[in-house]
Amino acid sequence: MPRISRRDLLAAGVAAGAAAALPRQLARAAPPGVPISVSSGNGLRAVAKACERVAAGDRPVHAAVEGVSINEADPEDTTVGYGGLPNEEGVMELDACVMDGTRGLGGSVGGIRNIMHPSQVALRVMERTDHAMLVGHGAYRFARAHGFPHQDLLTEKARERWLSWKEGLSDRDDWLPPENKEGGTITCLTRAVDGRMGGSTTTSGLAFKLPGRIGDSPVIGAGLYVDDTAGAAGATGRGEACILTCASFLAVEEMRRGAAPTDAALAACKRIADRTREKRLRDDDGRPAFNVQIYCLRKDGTHGAAAIWSGGKYAVQDADGARKIEIAHLFERT
Ligand code: ASP
């Protein structure tokens, strides 16, 4: 059943019938002099690190990469970098991008293998090439040229989960039991006290994806967009939906037009729901049968996040310290 619909949500075009949660904490302007970082729910350590680095004088984009690098190297995070879940052939292929919202520059790598820190390689693409995107073996060779070590990224835990997925694929082969499709990502948006902004999104992509599949995380405008004259946005969840709606770009443009961060994120989720026309992607009530989360940090330091489905939290560090905040949503999960 729908919950209370805020006036602002109606203004953002949320249709009648779509439930919209009141964000637990309404965005408010940060006092000057405080670095701010916003991340997905798995990014509590990332936001703390990013704020620490930006306070020490790093550029916001560098600070964001420092933040997400923690998750990339964490074997317990099965959604990012080392320890992530592999493609359908049991091979890890990672995606990441970075964006410097002050200089208007971005860099990304897609489907890179055997490199633990795709976000750091994306940063090198931005800073040390005349390109914005490198994929596959070319990205790997570029990383090696920059001294990134070749590493086996498939942990035993991830291999076992891949095997269990493979065994459950069909009852018409000789592999035996199952697991759900899953994925995950970390996005980190960071603002320095002087208003400069930067961000990074990094992922191992959807678990058990087709080899060569690239999600939204390395696509500037889909998994991340930063323009410090308006704000920054990042996305997690079904990447195909974010690519097809330019979701992060859309959220930033909403903020440029004056929307509060939570409303900008809701508007992007709403667009995704509206554009989900295929029956196979919708539930019995016509709602998206998948989830997407959009995280927003506006140029004035206010922040918010929204998802298609209820239940998530985002991580933030601002004047009130590091904590997790409930994400607004379009539809209530029952
Ligand atoms: N957005 C990622 C992708 O589609 C996955 C995720 O966030 O779960 O590759």
Side-chain angles (χ1 to χ4, degrees), residues 95 182-185 203-206 213 215-217 235-240:
D95 296 338
E182 56 185 294
T185 303
T203 189
S204 49
L206 289 183
R213 179 266 186 187
D216 59 322
S217 308
T236 60
R238 183 180 158 80
E240 284 72 9

Side-chain angles (χ1 to χ4, degrees), residues 66-327:
E66 288 269 341
V68 301
S69 291
I70 298 172
N71 293 61
E72 286 178 335
D74 183 355
E76 295 307 315
D77 191 328
T78 57
T79 69
V80 184
Y82 181 54
L85 293 174
N87 68 19
E88 69 169 15
E89 292 173 351
V91 177
M92 294 287 297
E93 289 183 335
L94 309 182
D95 296 338
C97 76
V98 301
M99 201 163 176
D100 181 324
T102 312
R103 290 185 288 168
L105 291 176
S108 86
V109 292
I112 191 170
R113 297 182 175 190
N114 296 110
I115 300 290
M116 187 179 288
H117 289 294
S119 65
Q120 296 175 15
V121 184
L123 194 59
R124 297 286 173 101
V125 171
M126 182 179 89
E127 296 191 326
R128 303 289 290 273
T129 77
D130 190 32
H131 306 317
M133 193 167 199
L134 292 179
V135 300
H137 195 58
Y140 167 80
R141 285 174 54 189
F142 171 78
R144 295 287 292 135
H146 275 272
F148 288 87
H150 175 104
Q151 283 170 291
D152 182 2
L153 302 178
L154 190 66
T155 58
E156 267 306 284
K157 195 168 141 195
R159 187 193 56 75
E160 277 169 20
R161 289 178 65 178
W162 167 74
L163 190 60
S164 144
W165 167 80
K166 194 169 172 56
E167 289 166 341
L169 268 182
S170 164
D171 55 7
R172 296 171 64 195
D173 62 23
D174 296 332
W175 300 80
L176 298 172
E179 209 158 346
N180 286 333
K181 255 201 170 180
E182 56 185 294
T185 303
I186 180 167
T187 188
C188 182
L189 315 168
T190 302
R191 178 187 185 275
V193 293
D194 60 6
R196 286 173 303 135
M197 299 175 96
S200 178
T201 301
T202 178
T203 189
S204 49
L206 289 183
F208 320 130
K209 60 195 175 186
L210 295 186
R213 179 266 186 187
I214 286 174
D216 59 322
S217 308
V219 179
I220 303 279
L224 178 75
Y225 197 72
V226 190
D227 175 343
D228 61 21
T229 66
T236 60
R238 183 180 158 80
E240 284 72 9
C242 296
I243 293 171
L244 294 169
T245 54
C246 303
S248 291
F249 178 76
L250 179 65
V252 169
E253 294 310 297
E254 286 288 324
M255 290 188 279
R256 192 190 302 283
R257 285 192 283 271
T262 305
D263 295 336
L266 276 167
C269 290
K270 172 69 172 48
R271 176 69 61 85
I272 291 170
D274 286 347
R275 297 299 304 166
T276 302
R277 304 273 166 90
E278 285 289 294
K279 198 165 184 299
R280 70 190 168 85
L281 295 173
R282 295 160 62 134
D283 69 9
D284 292 343
D285 297 319
R287 303 170 301 184
F290 56 85
N291 207 3
V292 163
Q293 297 86 10
I294 310 282
Y295 312 87
C296 290
L297 175 58
R298 203 167 62 176
K299 68 173 183 178
D300 61 0
T302 55
H303 49 81
I308 294 173
W309 290 98
S310 63
K313 291 189 171 175
Y314 72 101
V316 63
Q317 175 154 331
D318 60 10
D320 297 330
R323 65 203 183 283
K324 288 197 191 179
I325 297 176
E326 200 175 312
I327 295 179

